Amino acid sequence: MSDVPDTLNPMAVPSSLPSLVSLALALGAEDAGGLTQEERSLVARTERTSPPTDALRRIRRLIREGHDPLGQAYCAIRSPEDRRPLGQTYTPREIVAAMVGWAGDQAQPARVVDPGAGSGRYLLAAAKRFPDATLHGADIDPLATLMLRANLAASGVADRASVHLGDYRELELPNVAGPTLFLGNPPYVRHHLISSEWKAWLTATARRRGLDASALAGLHVHFFLATAELGREGDYGAFITSSEWLDVNYGKLVRQLLLDGLGGQSLHVLDAEAAPFADAMTTGAITCFKIGDKPKSMKVRRVETVAELGRLAKGRTISRERLAESTRWSVLTRVSPKLPEGYVELGELCRVHRGAVTGANDVWVQRVRNPELPERLLFPSVTKARELFGAGSRLGTNEELRRVVDLPIDLDVLGDEERTQVDRFLRAARAKRVHEGYVASNRKAWWSVGLRAAAPILATYMARRPPAFVRNDAKARHINIAHGLYPREAMSSSILDNLAEHLRSAVTLSQGRTYAGGLVKFEPKEMERIPVPTLEMLI
């Protein structure tokens, strides 16, 4: 949607950077706080011109009505390629309105801070919604801060605004009585354009908070951390960014912050085809947070159009535990059929974990007992899907199951006789070059398979028939041909029986992912999306 109505005389719209600077000055940029040296230098290099009085009056009226003729002109003059080093993407009015609307439903802020203010779209919208709040906008581009000053002056709110030309990560805010609202579209800059000094700041600051950070993180990740540093308990905010942090390794810092420090409230993912940014084809993510809150859950959803955003109050409730253990949050936003009354997703009741990968079944999986190894290091395990399909509703005995060799990482805990047996076994494994395999060489200790504890319910996950859900009375372990269902809280045997029975009767092939040849697969996170009755209904 255009920010400048067709009725405006095109001659009044700047078509060059000098004319844009001149228009900003004509609108009163110099009256919105003292200009910095960089801004004054920009002004000194510009020959001042001004549009006709009527045109200037119309531009002021447009700005007060919520349009952004300066920002739109800037985006037309500077191509997306020219703006990319500074991470400048301008947010559509509809998205700004949704985020400001959410903020207004939470509290009345004493102060609004935009970390990458640009021409001030967020600050101007917030100024109308929060007439008593002071306004703070930060940006590293002196032309952007001149546009911001001009828009503040034209809107009549310059007297309660402060413009900071500089890096948001260096911003200092005075104490204020009341909550601060952090609002905006942090600049998107890839890591190779970020200096080594700021990468060091990221990792050191995160480490001080007990969190993990990667030097590969983009600038928007830095801004999430800077906000956590600036904010105080009771402050809140909403940012829109590219959504890639939901899944990539460097996004772990943002995911950790939202669960510990920033207090994530909701997540709204905009499909790329919704075009959240006019000049960048990317999937956007709006993140709402309350600093100091330790949320028990967050609302998440995916929308296909900007019009679906509303007031950012909708979404599926995902528990903190489920978010904390997930390395990919995008799967949690995918649309699923509406849950029936009294139902939740399986992931709210149970974690679903695939079994360990041995890397060499002919070495690590033994037929029943092996007198050449200590019995306590041989774990009865489900190693073939047919063992679950053949068990029916319950796996009652482990007598016929194979044994998986699972050695401790520290072999020094073994007794002398056990160590002799294990060393003999490992020499044979080395002779087969098992230690050089991809799986073994990437384990903490190549000889330790790392079986999970016995799961009370075991499930197959790939077949041409619905999964088998089997109660594990035998307390068997499982390798990667099966999933284990681990309750998030203690469940009685009868509840576990009822849950397994429901899954056996209700799960269909259509809920999985179909591959060529008719095989249907349920990944752990997909299985966690299966609707099941609540605990109260399972009693």
Side-chain angles (χ1 to χ4, degrees):
M1 176 181 289
S2 172
D3 279 302
V4 181
D6 294 336
T7 55
L8 181 64
N9 183 350
M11 297 298 293
V13 179
S15 58
S16 67
L17 293 181
S19 62
L20 182 58
V21 173
S22 290
L23 179 56
L25 296 172
L27 289 168
E30 291 171 298
D31 300 325
L35 300 187
T36 64
Q37 181 177 346
E38 293 91 338
E39 290 169 315
R40 289 196 299 271
S41 296
L42 191 59
V43 170
R45 297 195 303 269
T46 302
E47 182 179 349
R48 299 195 185 205
T49 60
S50 181
T53 302
D54 288 347
L56 195 60
R57 187 182 301 116
R58 287 196 296 271
I59 291 173
R60 282 198 177 94
R61 186 178 70 247
L62 287 171
I63 293 171
R64 289 173 179 172
E65 290 174 352
H67 299 284
D68 184 19
L70 297 183
Q72 185 175 356
Y74 178 73
C75 291
I77 296 167
R78 273 191 178 168
S79 69
E81 291 73 23
D82 292 335
R83 287 182 274 118
R84 189 166 295 131
L86 295 179
Q88 295 172 319
T89 55
Y90 280 60
T91 314
R93 293 173 61 200
E94 297 89 343
I95 294 178
V96 174
M99 294 167 65
V100 172
W102 174 85
D105 291 339
Q106 311 309 308
Q108 291 295 308
R111 171 172 60 197
V112 180
V113 177
D114 184 342
S119 57
R121 293 185 180 186
Y122 282 98
L123 285 182
L124 295 180
K128 288 184 178 180
R129 182 61 188 262
F130 310 114
D132 296 324
T134 59
L135 311 170
H136 294 256
D139 206 292
I140 63 171
D141 181 1
L143 180 51
T145 55
L146 277 178
M147 291 191 294
L148 173 58
R149 293 181 191 277
N151 280 329
L152 291 167
S155 299
V157 296
D159 60 336
R160 56 186 173 107
S162 297
V163 177
H164 308 268
L165 177 59
D167 197 299
Y168 176 64
R169 292 165 292 188
E170 296 178 318
L171 182 65
E172 295 182 1
L173 294 171
N175 292 330
V176 66
T180 295
L181 166 62
F182 295 90
L183 189 69
N185 174 4
Y188 181 76
V189 177
R190 292 190 179 276
H191 75 90
H192 56 272
L193 294 177
I194 299 175
S195 70
S196 58
E197 290 80 10
W198 279 119
K199 291 182 178 183
W201 171 87
L202 180 78
T203 54
T205 305
R207 190 182 307 115
R208 180 168 47 79
R209 299 177 71 97
L211 303 176
D212 301 319
S214 167
L216 301 180
L219 188 59
H220 55 299
V221 174
H222 290 233
F223 276 37
F224 272 107
L225 181 58
T227 301
E229 289 286 292
L230 276 172
R232 299 292 180 265
E233 186 172 353
D235 295 346
Y236 64 116
F239 287 161
I240 182 170
T241 64
S242 168
S243 68
E244 60 187 40
W245 63 263
L246 296 173
D247 297 330
V248 296
N249 288 337
Y250 75 68
K252 181 180 179 181
L253 175 58
V254 180
R255 299 192 295 269
Q256 289 178 322
L257 282 171
L258 291 174
L259 296 178
D260 185 10
L262 276 182
Q265 303 298 304
S266 62
L267 175 65
H268 312 265
V269 176
L270 281 147
D271 192 89
E273 294 189 3
F277 308 109
D279 49 20
M281 192 64 177
T282 185
T283 301
I286 299 174
T287 309
C288 302
F289 52 89
K290 292 183 180 178
I291 297 176
D293 189 23
K294 199 161 186 177
K296 294 182 179 179
S297 63
M298 282 178 60
K299 287 186 175 182
V300 303
R301 65 171 173 152
R302 182 178 292 265
V303 299
E304 295 182 358
T305 66
V306 171
E308 293 179 50
L309 282 175
R311 300 183 73 85
L312 305 183
K314 299 179 181 178
R316 295 186 308 108
T317 300
I318 303 296
S319 67
R320 175 188 179 86
E321 292 79 8
R322 195 171 172 191
L323 289 162
E325 69 190 21
S326 179
T327 58
R328 297 181 69 248
W329 282 14
S330 65
V331 69
L332 301 175
T333 71
R334 291 176 186 161
V335 177
S336 61
K338 185 176 180 180
L339 293 173
E341 184 70 27
Y343 276 62
V344 295
E345 290 184 349
L346 175 61
E348 296 300 314
L349 302 185
C350 297
R351 302 177 182 89
V352 178
H353 290 300
R354 181 177 292 141
V357 179
T358 71
N361 281 2
D362 60 328
V363 171
W364 305 110
V365 179
Q366 304 282 313
R367 288 190 172 276
V368 195
R369 292 178 172 82
N370 182 341
E372 296 181 1
L373 281 170
E375 180 70 20
R376 72 184 184 95
L377 303 180
L378 299 170
F379 294 85
S381 304
V382 172
T383 59
K384 295 183 182 297
R386 66 169 178 261
E387 293 167 346
L388 293 179
F389 283 123
S393 62
R394 315 190 80 85
L395 183 65
T397 177
N398 60 36
E399 289 301 313
E400 300 302 318
L401 296 178
R402 290 172 174 79
R403 268 52 176 171
V404 173
V405 180
D406 195 15
L407 306 177
I409 292 175
D410 182 6
L411 297 178
D412 289 339
V413 302
L414 301 174
D416 291 343
E417 183 178 349
E418 290 179 327
R419 183 63 183 266
T420 298
Q421 291 177 297
V422 167
D423 285 346
R424 186 186 308 118
F425 171 80
L426 293 181
R427 284 195 296 272
R430 278 183 175 274
K432 295 182 179 181
R433 308 177 76 87
V434 170
H435 62 295
E436 297 176 0
Y438 176 80
V439 173
S441 62
N442 281 278
R443 290 198 280 248
K444 190 171 183 180
W446 72 266
W447 57 79
S448 184
V449 169
L451 289 175
R452 292 187 178 276
I457 300 175
L458 295 173
T460 59
Y461 68 85
M462 181 178 280
R464 291 180 176 85
R465 54 184 283 188
F469 293 92
V470 180
R471 284 285 281 117
N472 185 16
D473 294 341
K475 293 183 171 51
R477 307 299 178 92
H478 66 291
I479 62 173
N480 65 317
I481 55 83
H483 292 334
L485 277 59
Y486 296 86
R488 294 187 180 278
E489 58 184 80
M491 295 185 188
S492 66
S493 293
S494 62
I495 289 178
L496 288 166
D497 289 345
N498 292 338
L499 176 59
E501 177 59 33
H502 170 81
L503 291 167
R504 281 193 295 273
S505 63
V507 176
T508 66
L509 286 175
S510 64
Q511 292 168 285
R513 187 182 305 181
T514 302
Y515 289 79
L519 277 176
V520 177
K521 185 178 184 181
F522 288 76
E523 295 287 358
K525 295 306 175 187
E526 292 170 337
M527 191 169 279
E528 288 185 358
R529 301 294 301 273
I530 294 172
V532 295
T534 62
L535 282 178
E536 292 75 17
M537 292 179 67
L538 289 169
I539 293 175

